[in-house]
Every structure is written in structure tokens, then in C-alpha cells.
Amino acid sequence: MKLLTGLVFFSLVLGVSGWFSFFGEAAGGAWDILRAYFDMKEANYQDSGKYFHARGNYDAAQRGPGGVWASKLISSVREGIQKLTCDGAEGSVAQKLANDWGRRGKDPNRFRPEGLPDKY
């Protein structure tokens, strides 16, 4: 009986810690997306949007499933806002491609524009 109680207790603890891990990854992933956005605004470099989208999603995905979830959620919300405001519809397909590219763990430098400072 004690063995069964112990197994149930440890499975509950491990399950709860898994959720804490997921939410930690999600928070870190959201921060990665936000940091890429701030870098994009700071750089103010022509045709660099796809690179920063790919980089933000890549960094978030490296954190784990929570980071991937956060990057998908943030991207969906941003795209929804763009549709409502009719802003940037022409670049939406290219941004989705860059988001998916980074989220799959592929190198975001594929979208890096020539001449973008090494700081980014």
C-alpha cells in the first residue's frame, strides 16, 4: 500500500513540475519574441522583418514545447490584429514562412538581410 501511495504521489509531483516547466518555457519564449521585436525596432533596417520573426521564433522554440506554444499564440494574435487593421497583408505570407522556419529550429540567418549589423 505504501508503495502504491508513493507512486501516486511522485507521479502527481512529476506531473505538476511538468506544467511548471511548460509555463516557464512559454514565458521565456514570449520574452524571446518580444526581444526580437525590440531588436527589429532598434535596428530599423530595411527588409529585416522576416529575419527577426524567424530569430524570435527560433529562440522561443529552443526553450521547448512551451516556447513553441507561446510563439504560435503570439504570431496568431499579431496576424489577427493585422487582419483587423488591414495593415501588412501583403507581407503576411512571407512572415508566416519565416515564423514557421524559425519554429522548426532552422537557421534564421537564411532571412538575414545583407548589411544588417552583427549586433543582431
Side-chain angles (χ1 to χ4, degrees), residues 5-50:
T5 304
L7 288 173
V8 169
F9 174 75
F10 283 116
S11 68
L12 289 174
V13 169
L14 290 175
V16 169
S17 70
W19 279 104
F20 285 131
S21 172
F22 180 84
F23 288 122
E25 292 168 358
W31 175 248
D32 291 332
I33 298 287
L34 191 61
R35 189 177 64 232
Y37 173 77
F38 288 139
D39 285 348
M40 180 176 67
K41 290 299 182 185
E42 179 185 317
N44 195 24
Y45 199 83
Q46 189 171 4
D47 297 328
S48 65
K50 290 185 291 187

Side-chain angles (χ1 to χ4, degrees), residues 47-91:
D47 297 328
S48 65
K50 290 185 291 187
Y51 165 72
F52 286 107
H53 281 268
R55 195 194 82 189
N57 281 278
Y58 174 84
D59 291 344
Q62 296 306 302
R63 293 184 181 273
V68 171
W69 176 80
S71 70
K72 285 181 181 179
L73 179 67
I74 291 168
S75 295
S76 296
V77 168
R78 181 188 49 77
E79 289 167 8
I81 290 171
Q82 282 182 333
K83 284 180 185 176
L84 286 175
T85 61
C86 298
D87 183 32
E90 66 281 346

